[in-house]
Amino acid sequence: MTFQGAIGKKRGMTQVFNDEGSAVPVTVIELLPLTVTQVKTKPTDGYIAVQVGYQDAKAKHLSKPEQGHLKKNKLSLLRHLKEFQVQASEVSQFEVGKTITPEFLTSIERVNVTGRTIGKGFQGRIKLHHFRRGPMSHGSKSHRLPGSIGAGTTPGRVFKGLKMAAHMGDNMRTIENLKVVLVDLESNLLLVQGAVPGKPGATLFIRPRKTLNAKKES
């Protein structure tokens, strides 16, 4: 049974030493146990996928439809649900209530990791878009002001997409082509080289690297 997906929690960063003795920065990810909550097929749902749940929850954390969805299949309450696509020839191998182990990580070298970036609140154009500040001397009063945002008469409006102060961070981002340094399924740990989105404790979605979008391996 091949399930090409895993979910984990970012636990922080550290370093390990490779065979050449060089220090390699790595992110430590705790892999979460995934319970199959629904198997979707083309005749009934219009597409093929496996829905999994993770993180135990109380009834107050879920809506009535979510509770009913899980109780219908005699499952314990799970805080989050996530779908992963599978091959049509393999969908029959998945059974509701079974736990999935990310064994695919032991046979691949590169992964894509998706997570939510750290939110930085409302920021100005210097920090958000890397604009330069104004002069700090000779009587200038425009140190960090945005300046002109367009002409008055023509076009008489502000163009869409103009880089202005806005909310920064708190977006879903995918880091591609991260090298798998260590996989320990007994301890539910995954080490990947480099940084991933989010702060410690953030939820991460791990998938095999896609060949078409992959960068050349160094």
Side-chain angles (χ1 to χ4, degrees):
M1 181 173 61
T2 304
F3 187 77
Q4 301 292 310
I7 300 175
K9 293 282 186 180
K10 180 178 179 179
R11 290 308 175 200
M13 294 193 69
T14 184
Q15 64 180 14
V16 297
F17 293 92
N18 58 18
D19 297 336
E20 289 75 27
S22 300
V24 178
V26 296
T27 300
V28 181
I29 302 174
E30 178 188 356
L31 299 173
L32 301 177
L34 304 179
T35 302
V36 178
T37 56
Q38 185 179 2
V39 178
K40 299 195 173 185
T41 59
K42 207 159 190 177
T44 57
D45 303 284
Y47 63 99
I48 298 173
V50 173
Q51 184 189 84
V52 296
Y54 59 97
Q55 191 175 340
D56 294 334
K58 298 179 180 179
K60 65 180 181 179
H61 296 147
L62 303 178
S63 64
K64 293 293 184 179
E66 290 172 333
Q67 294 181 39
H69 173 64
L70 296 171
K71 290 180 179 179
K72 180 178 67 175
N73 294 319
K74 299 179 180 179
L75 298 172
S76 59
L77 297 182
L78 299 169
R79 187 70 178 268
H80 304 286
L81 301 177
K82 179 72 175 176
E83 288 186 4
F84 290 90
Q85 292 186 343
V86 297
Q87 297 294 330
S89 58
E90 299 177 349
V91 68
S92 60
Q93 303 176 20
F94 295 93
E95 184 180 345
V96 174
K98 296 295 183 180
T99 301
I100 295 177
T101 303
E103 297 178 355
F104 75 97
L105 293 172
T106 60
S107 59
I108 60 176
E109 297 182 355
R110 303 273 175 167
V111 293
N112 294 346
V113 179
T114 302
R116 186 169 290 278
T117 59
I118 297 175
K120 298 182 181 298
F122 189 87
Q123 298 295 337
R125 303 204 298 181
I126 292 178
K127 181 170 182 175
L128 181 58
H129 301 297
H130 308 291
F131 282 16
R132 290 183 296 177
R133 60 166 173 77
M136 300 298 288
S137 60
H138 299 289
S140 171
K141 298 180 181 179
S142 301
H143 305 316
R144 298 177 67 93
L145 295 178
S148 173
I149 59 174
T153 303
T154 303
R157 62 186 178 87
V158 179
F159 286 116
K160 287 184 178 181
L162 183 68
K163 293 180 178 179
M164 300 181 69
H167 185 269
M168 183 178 183
D170 195 26
N171 296 314
M172 294 300 291
R173 289 289 183 267
T174 298
I175 308 299
E176 297 184 345
N177 204 32
L178 291 174
K179 184 178 180 181
V180 176
V181 177
L182 174 68
V183 179
D184 188 350
L185 295 181
E186 292 185 0
S187 301
N188 295 323
L189 290 179
L190 168 66
L191 270 61
V192 295
Q193 183 174 342
V196 300
K199 59 184 180 180
T203 301
L204 301 172
F205 305 103
I206 303 108
R207 295 179 176 87
R209 181 195 66 175
K210 292 183 179 179
T211 307
L212 293 178
N213 297 331
K215 303 173 184 176
K216 293 182 179 180
E217 296 185 12
S218 56

